[in-house]
Amino acid sequence: MSTIPTISFAKVAAPKKYAHVVLCPAGEKPSALVPLADPENVLDGAAATARFTGKSKSKLDVLAPAGTNATRLVAIGLGETEKLKLTDWMALGGVTFATVASETQVAVYFDGDADAAAAFAQGYLLRSYKFDKYKTKKADDEDKSDKPHKLVIMLDEVTAARRIWTACKASAEGTILARDLVNEPANVLTPVEFAKRAASLSKLGVEIQTLTEKEMKKLKMDALLGVAQGSRNPPRMVVMKWKGGKAKDKPLAFVGKGVTFDTGGISIKPSGGMEDMKGDMGGAAAVTGLMHTLAARKAKVNAIGIIGLVENMPDGNAQRPGDIVKSMSGQTIEIINTDAEGRLVLCDALWYCKEKFKPQIMINLATLTGAVLVALGQQHAGLFSNNDELSANLTEAGLASGEKVWRLPLAKEYDKMIDSKFADMKNTGGRFAGSITAAQFLARYVGDTPWAHLDIAGTALGSPQTDINTSWSAGYGVSLLNQLVADTYEK
Ligand code: BES
Ligand code: MN
Ligand code: ZN
């Protein structure tokens, strides 16, 4: 297993045997910033030779420099520093980790404020993540000793940086938990195993309640159970409660699709790429990661996380196209396509959430439709909402966190597309507007609750490789929702 770096902050350290990193604004000489580590001005000479100018994310890497006790002297270009946003500082942290990954002790000379330093550290930590638990052999350039990797960031505002880092670290840990869950294969991460991992949040003070198949049957969650009935692995629903606010405050609710594997069921998917469907629980992973983050940083809100955990398999007991099921709400659904299973899981989870907890807002996350990839690719999640204010807050949180969303419409003309000949609705709306008709389906289960649906099929798995993520799963959604909670509900 790869170990996660230990990160600390100090005013000055005069560390020996460290890799020294200078963050260098465009046009400045790197040496001015590392008097301790580089008495011989090795970096300036190297900068001239390599034509290093401090351009954003450029690197200068001097190995085992003579005349110093540093293992390495590194300069990372910052570009124009007044333009740097916190997401840029995160990226710079990621670029820095990538450069010094093989080191065990790293010192960064940080000439910026505490917010920037904490964001830098968050990016550093996120970039260090690797999902390699199933690799029994290490590559030649990997550290075989598993020595811990230590980073010390030297700056003026140490106290503030430490305080802000507590919150940023909690966010990174939640993202990493979500990545682990999404990357995990479906033979390991069954609904029962997922529920166990979610239950371990009790160590942070999260209250956990796990509903079994029998209990869900009693609650009449037959839409969710209809999906589960084709699998040998029994379903679960986990309710996580974080009580960090006042007793009278209505909770914020987060609901996640947790299909631990989606074969499509009887409407079976083509085999090419089907292995990706181990990630069809990305919504549930984001909700679990978020609850971890809120508890770890002791967020001053009341929050509920609900995850619907099922496996969608085709066996002799699987549901068929044409079947009609009654959801917990009492509304009936004609199953047209058993591969449109996510909405069947969510409709019971959303209804249960709304009825039981009367939340002030309800946000669900789901790897719901391939169509959202066609519309938005992997750069934005699809956002659907019945509330302009919530929608605007989510959009802003997306820009601030770097986990972006883009709003798509809901309208009664689209809603009509899921009316059924035989039941109150059908579970698919035909070839056109697939992400919208899926959202219209969910909208029938939220009443007047201010609600938002995030279709994260494009962002939660098979994620683009970035400065802060080189894993298959980016852990999308944790940072976004943590930002929303902090900026909108804790101010
Ligand atoms: N889990 C899939 C959606 C998905 C696609 C997630 C690609 C991640 C990457 C979902 O359950 C599904 O199969 N949706 C169908 C809906 C259709 C049958 C109406 C789809 O998108 O094709
Ligand atoms: Mn499906
Ligand atoms: Zn699915």
Side-chain angles (χ1 to χ4, degrees), residues 189-316:
L189 197 74
T190 59
V192 168
E193 173 63 20
F194 195 136
K196 269 192 207 148
R197 296 202 190 179
S200 78
L201 294 188
S202 62
K203 66 180 184 285
L204 297 171
V206 178
E207 279 175 36
I208 304 288
Q209 189 194 0
T210 302
L211 303 179
T212 60
E213 193 169 4
K214 219 167 120 197
E215 290 162 308
M216 288 189 272
K217 186 82 216 156
K218 230 166 136 189
L219 288 162
K220 300 195 161 67
M221 295 184 170
D222 285 353
L224 180 150
L225 292 170
V227 177
Q229 76 188 31
S231 170
R232 299 279 181 96
N233 290 310
R236 290 289 183 268
M237 183 173 287
V238 183
V239 180
M240 297 164 265
K241 289 184 205 165
W242 168 250
K243 293 178 177 163
K246 301 193 186 85
K248 65 166 176 33
D249 293 346
K250 287 204 282 176
L252 312 170
F254 304 94
V255 178
K257 168 181 173 182
V259 176
T260 59
F261 196 80
D262 180 13
T263 62
I266 295 300
S267 314
I268 199 162
K269 288 182 182 293
S271 52
M274 203 204 274
E275 67 278 10
D276 284 1
M277 286 301 111
K278 71 172 183 177
D280 206 19
M281 27 53 70
V287 169
T288 309
L290 174 70
M291 295 307 288
H292 174 105
T293 297
L294 296 179
R297 69 174 182 82
K298 300 193 167 57
K300 291 191 172 49
V301 292
N302 296 327
I304 303 283
I306 297 183
I307 52 179
L309 303 167
V310 302
E311 186 179 47
N312 189 22
M313 297 288 270
D315 87 344

